[in-house]
Amino acid sequence: MMFTRFQTRTLRVGGLLIGGGAPVSVQTMATADPHDAAALSAQVVRCAEAGAALVRLTVPDVEAARVLGEVRGKSPVPLVADIHFDFRCALAAIEAGADALRLNPGNIGGRERIQAVAHAAKARGVPIRVGVNGGSLEKGETLVSSALKHVKLLEDEGFRDIAVSVKASDVRRTVAAYRELAERTDCPLHLGVTEAGTFLPGTVRSSVALGILLEEGIGDTIRVSLTDEPEREVRVGLEILRSLELAPPGASVTSCPTCGRTRVDVKGVAAEVEEALERRIAEVARSGRRLSLPRIAVMGCAVNGPGEAKGADIALCGGNGEFLLYVHGRPVRKVPVAEAAAAVLSCL
Ligand code: SF4
């Protein structure tokens, strides 16, 4: 049984709506040097192409806030400034054009500093995410009590554009915390398991925790934290949403497992086709259009290749060092392995 989604306030982050029934969106965090605008811009674009709706950049000092502003000018998606301890970085990030902040007001000093940040954020329409992690709680606090304490500090200043996250590194604690939080606040919730690990364990832990919560109607944005490239986090996050029909279907490439007959790089070409198709889907989605998704097959040889090609819109069937390209079940031409993915895309 699908639960009804918890009703939360609506936030506007740049052009993105969060909460209030808006589609659940995928976030990630850039890992490039916060002072290297070119590297950050390139990484943000790769994340957007992978399907990220929002990218967070760390802002450890005022110079990094200036760099964030430079990156924002070229970014296809809104950017969140991640601030710890120094309220001057928050003010500089708002001034530079950050679309949102991630900041815990209890960690930036006294009331005057909180007021300064809350007033600047309100004046610019910049929402703030309060983000509490299991590893940084004060004595006697729980994830939820800590998060609500920070929320209250902002609300006491008349600031209400707040999202909240309460991330632990284990699944059960994370799920329990978000369930409690969903009952106690109408702030949009950003879901994640913190320090989830490398690709395989991190993907499994995040999928289990986020899957339970999303199916219960909890969660407005998600991040899959992996010790890996941020683009890979985004792809896992999107697949979690797709598996629960919370995002439109993505690229689906049928490919054979390969065997001793294989004389072409099926694994590499299938992955290349899938990635290129995902980029195309994200581009089309950002432009507001819809791409009708083709059925694509990448097969190793003529044993099963022509059969799969008949059921696919576009297919590659491996031969000796080259592929035969099929369109709507008919063989069209031979293509070298290095050009195979491009040949598929040219048929879309
Ligand atoms: Fe092997 Fe050909 Fe089957 Fe692929 S399609 S698994 S290469 S027999």
Side-chain angles (χ1 to χ4, degrees):
M1 181 185 78
M2 174 68 188
F3 287 70
T4 310
R5 279 180 69 189
F6 276 74
Q7 270 310 310
T8 51
R9 324 172 177 170
T10 306
L11 307 184
R12 179 177 289 280
V13 179
L16 179 71
L17 291 180
I18 291 177
V24 180
S25 49
V26 177
Q27 303 191 18
T28 188
M29 186 162 182
T31 55
D33 180 345
H35 303 115
D36 185 339
L40 274 174
S41 283
Q43 196 168 46
V44 166
V45 168
R46 288 199 300 278
C47 292
E49 285 177 346
L54 199 57
V55 180
R56 181 156 50 113
L57 271 54
T58 190
V59 177
D61 50 43
V62 169
E63 171 59 13
R66 190 198 61 74
V67 171
L68 180 143
E70 200 178 325
V71 176
R72 181 65 190 95
K74 300 171 198 152
S75 173
V77 292
L79 300 181
V80 183
D82 190 78
I83 311 288
H84 291 275
F85 311 121
D86 190 342
F87 82 113
R88 288 168 302 185
C89 295
L91 295 176
I94 293 169
E95 185 66 30
D99 298 283
L101 302 182
R102 187 267 184 164
L103 166 147
N104 291 343
N107 298 345
I108 61 170
R111 178 148 186 222
E112 279 180 15
R113 293 178 179 188
I114 298 171
Q115 272 178 345
V117 172
H119 292 174
K122 196 169 184 177
R124 293 285 185 102
V126 171
I128 297 177
R129 171 162 68 88
V130 160
V132 174
N133 286 356
S136 55
L137 294 176
E138 288 175 21
K139 202 161 175 235
E141 281 186 333
T142 65
L143 283 162
V144 174
S145 70
S146 175
L148 294 178
K149 175 192 76 181
H150 291 293
V151 168
K152 184 166 183 314
L153 287 171
L154 289 172
E155 288 187 337
D156 285 349
E157 301 305 330
F159 189 88
R160 284 182 50 81
D161 286 349
I162 307 166
V164 188
S165 63
V166 281
K167 302 180 182 178
S169 57
D170 75 280
V171 169
R172 286 190 162 144
R173 194 167 165 223
T174 302
V175 169
Y178 277 106
R179 280 176 174 158
E180 184 185 344
L181 194 59
E183 297 288 352
R184 294 182 61 183
T185 180
D186 69 342
C187 292
L189 301 187
H190 169 63
L191 305 184
V193 177
T194 192
E195 294 132 22
T198 52
F199 187 78
L200 182 61
T203 295
V204 172
R205 276 186 210 129
S206 297
S207 302
V208 172
L210 273 49
I212 291 170
L213 290 165
L214 290 165
E215 186 63 6
E216 291 180 8
I218 298 170
D220 299 284
T221 68
I222 65 169
R223 179 190 176 194
V224 175
S225 297
L226 297 176
T227 312
D228 208 312
E229 295 301 320
E231 304 91 287
R232 303 245 288 171
E233 292 189 352
V234 175
R235 295 195 67 185
V236 175
L238 261 183
E239 285 307 320
I240 292 172
L241 295 185
R242 286 169 177 162
S243 70
L244 294 169
E245 297 175 15
L246 291 170
S252 166
V253 178
T254 302
S255 55
C256 80
T258 75
C259 68
R261 289 174 180 272
T262 321
R263 297 285 177 270
V264 283
D265 179 14
V266 172
K267 186 177 160 203
V269 170
E272 207 184 326
V273 168
E274 202 168 73
E275 277 172 27
L277 196 52
E278 286 287 353
R279 281 199 297 276
R280 182 72 64 91
I281 291 168
E283 263 170 43
V284 172
R286 275 202 303 278
S287 72
R289 291 174 290 130
R290 280 185 80 87
L291 177 71
S292 64
L293 289 172
R295 290 163 301 162
I296 295 176
V298 181
M299 302 296 291
C301 79
V303 170
N304 293 320
E308 283 293 340
K310 281 202 175 67
D313 298 305
I314 308 162
L316 292 166
C317 179
N320 195 7
E322 62 188 5
F323 283 98
L324 185 54
L325 176 70
Y326 288 74
V327 178
H328 299 305
R330 290 173 176 275
V332 175
R333 63 186 163 94
K334 289 179 179 174
V335 290
V337 172
E339 293 165 23
V344 170
L345 286 189
S346 71
C347 299
L348 293 179

